[in-house]
Amino acid sequence: MRFDSKSTPALAVAGLLTAALIGLSGCGSDTDSAPEPESTPTATLDVVAQGFDSLAELSDYVAQSLDGVEVSLESETNPDFNEETEPERLHVDFASDENRAQDMEATALIVQATSQAAFDYDILMVTGDVSAGEWSYLYDRSTVEELTGGGHIVVADIWDSAEQSFDTIHR
């Protein structure tokens, strides 16, 4: 039995197009490697009331909120450090998950905590360690004081306020 219709070619073409579209709809949608959607950072963080007399106290405080925290002074970790010609850098490193909003909040947390440091440093260097490398923001101590002077810190402004940045992960 043979079925002849003038609409048969049109139906065949429509069927092929539908099949092609269904087949292509899965292309490029690898859900396992898709990044998590970015969230909006918290508007502000209150500056912590307690002071930090040592690197260990600062590290312990920051480690309550962040993973993989390491706090050090350049003069203690760099044997070539020259205190007469180089600024004292306070390094705070942590494990970043490459989420822009969370990393901004982490940076703000570190800046607000560092504002209460009783030990000397000239520059704060916040570094997020990621699988693809690292990102860093540097803040002069006077900038840290300005950012936290009102008792809180605006998270959205934290990276734009840095004196220097090395960030190919978020920008």
Side-chain angles (χ1 to χ4, degrees), residues 5-125:
S5 170
K6 292 186 180 198
S7 63
T8 300
L11 287 173
V13 170
L16 288 173
L17 284 174
T18 303
L21 289 174
I22 290 171
L24 290 175
S25 68
C27 291
S29 64
D30 185 7
T31 57
D32 291 338
S33 65
E36 291 184 25
E38 295 291 330
S39 57
T40 304
T42 304
T44 61
L45 292 178
D46 291 332
V47 174
V48 64
Q50 77 184 69
F52 303 103
D53 294 327
S54 69
L55 295 176
E57 289 177 3
L58 177 63
S59 179
D60 290 345
Y61 174 80
V62 174
Q64 292 174 11
S65 300
L66 303 174
D67 293 328
V69 174
E70 293 181 25
V71 178
S72 63
L73 288 170
E74 183 87 14
S75 60
E76 295 176 0
T77 58
N78 182 355
D80 298 326
F81 180 77
N82 183 343
E83 65 183 62
E84 294 177 17
T85 60
E86 296 180 63
E88 179 68 271
R89 285 182 205 85
L90 172 61
H91 296 268
V92 181
D93 297 14
F94 70 98
S96 164
D97 63 1
E98 300 182 44
N99 180 296
R100 181 179 172 81
Q102 290 175 3
D103 288 344
M104 287 179 85
E105 288 177 15
T107 303
L109 171 86
I110 292 166
V111 169
Q112 64 85 19
T114 305
S115 73
Q116 301 302 311
F119 50 87
D120 288 332
Y121 73 92
D122 299 308
I123 296 172
L124 167 63
M125 184 170 183

